[in-house]
Amino acid sequence: QVQLVESEGGLVQAGGSLRLSCAASGRTFSIYRMGWFRQAPGKERQFVSAIIRSVGSTSYSDSVKGRFTMSRDYTKNTVYLQMNSLKPEDTAIYYCACQLGVGMPYDYWGQGTQVTVSS
């Protein structure tokens, strides 16, 4: 079992920045990749970014590429999502999740945290 706890989100003006964190506990040694997803009201949950825990390589959705940066602190079992140049369309509940192996689904999820970007 893995437990994921996200930091509080917040309200920020368009163009502003916000950093989210996600701390993993439990069987963290078995985590292969951690990801961030988001879900806006009335929309499906979408992929935002991911990082392979062991090597730190990252991937991003086109909608956030160049504005968001995902990183990890291996020793603290924590990942971060630095969000810059925020837009109102970034408003959503952000979820942290993890995969326990290559090709496996994201089986473990955090509780989600609200990010609201005002125009």
Side-chain angles (χ1 to χ4, degrees):
Q1 290 280 347
V2 176
Q3 295 79 42
L4 302 173
V5 179
E6 298 110 338
S7 60
E8 278 194 34
L11 171 64
V12 63
Q13 288 189 331
S17 298
L18 196 62
R19 189 176 84 154
L20 303 179
S21 64
C22 174
S25 61
R27 297 183 60 191
T28 57
F29 60 88
S30 58
I31 295 174
Y32 167 68
R33 175 160 39 204
M34 296 186 71
W36 286 99
F37 294 77
R38 67 186 182 185
Q39 187 167 20
K43 295 188 176 181
E44 292 187 354
R45 186 160 54 192
Q46 63 174 193
F47 169 78
V48 175
S49 66
I51 190 166
I52 295 177
R53 182 172 175 265
S54 59
V55 297
S57 55
T58 54
S59 57
Y60 300 92
S61 67
D62 288 343
S63 61
V64 306
K65 199 172 294 183
R67 299 188 298 122
F68 290 12
T69 303
M70 188 172 183
S71 61
R72 94 277 195 232
D73 185 327
Y74 192 91
T75 60
K76 294 182 179 179
N77 294 309
T78 299
V79 296
Y80 304 93
L81 185 67
Q82 178 66 44
M83 304 183 290
N84 298 328
S85 303
L86 283 161
K87 305 176 182 179
E89 50 264 42
D90 294 318
T91 295
I93 299 174
Y94 284 70
Y95 297 90
C96 175
C98 70
Q99 289 177 311
L100 298 188
V102 178
M104 294 183 68
Y106 283 92
D107 275 334
Y108 296 94
W109 293 81
Q111 79 282 4
T113 187
Q114 177 71 48
V115 172
T116 303
V117 184
S118 63
S119 57

